[in-house]
């Protein structure tokens, strides 16, 4: 009976860990449909998406491979990377930023709508 309880508890803990890790690795289009509006291009090399943060909008935890961000409008954004303290940035219209693979969440802490184009760089396929 003790062995059955131990196995059941181990399975329950494993399931919890599996589900909690998937929360941090969501596709931005699925995690934040109110922020990530549209896929502009999707091929075997890149995925380009438009995103729009109204004031106070929060983008839940999600992940990106290597990616760039082009700011269509300026804004104030707070980014929290997994396991790190939040950082806040003032982005100007026309700014272009590069980021390595990341799991993070974001919030518009400014008073204006912040519009961006995100380009994810897909890993090369093995031949």
């Amino acid at each position: 009976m003790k062995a059955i309880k131990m196995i059941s508890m181990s399975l329950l803990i494993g399931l919890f860990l599996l589900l909690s890790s998937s929360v941090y690795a969501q596709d931005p289009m699925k995690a934040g449909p109110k922020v990530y509006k549209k896929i502009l291009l999707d091929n075997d090399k890149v995925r380009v998406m438009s995103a729009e943060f109204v004031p106070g909008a929060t983008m839940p935890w999600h992940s990106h491979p290597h990616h760039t961000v082009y700011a269509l409008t300026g804004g104030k954004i707070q980014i929290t990377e997994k396991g790190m303290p939040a950082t806040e940035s003032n982005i100007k219209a026309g700014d272009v930023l590069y980021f390595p693979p990341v799991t993070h969440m974001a919030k518009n802490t400014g008073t204006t709508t912040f519009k961006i184009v995100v380009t994810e760089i897909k890993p090369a396929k093995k031949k």
Side-chain angles (χ1 to χ4, degrees), residues 23-42:
V23 167
Y24 286 109
Q26 289 194 25
D27 181 286
M29 294 300 296
K30 293 178 184 171
K34 291 183 180 180
V35 173
Y36 275 74
K37 301 294 187 181
K38 186 176 179 182
I39 295 175
L40 305 172
L41 173 67
D42 192 0

Side-chain angles (χ1 to χ4, degrees), residues 53-56 74-77 90 108-114:
F53 289 81
V54 297
K76 192 173 186 180
I77 193 94
N90 286 306
N108 180 347
T109 55
T111 58
T112 60
T113 298
F114 180 53

Side-chain angles (χ1 to χ4, degrees), residues 40-98:
L40 305 172
L41 173 67
D42 192 0
N43 62 31
D44 62 334
K45 304 286 184 196
V46 298
R47 179 169 70 157
V48 181
M49 301 165 285
S50 65
E52 186 174 304
F53 289 81
V54 297
T58 299
M59 179 63 195
W61 288 105
H62 63 284
S63 296
H64 296 281
H66 292 275
H67 64 290
T68 64
V69 173
Y70 174 72
L72 296 170
T73 63
K76 192 173 186 180
I77 193 94
Q78 181 184 69
I79 303 286
T80 306
E81 288 187 35
K82 186 177 175 186
M84 304 287 286
T87 60
E88 196 159 77
S89 298
N90 286 306
I91 310 287
K92 296 180 197 129
D95 282 355
V96 180
L97 308 162
Y98 164 80

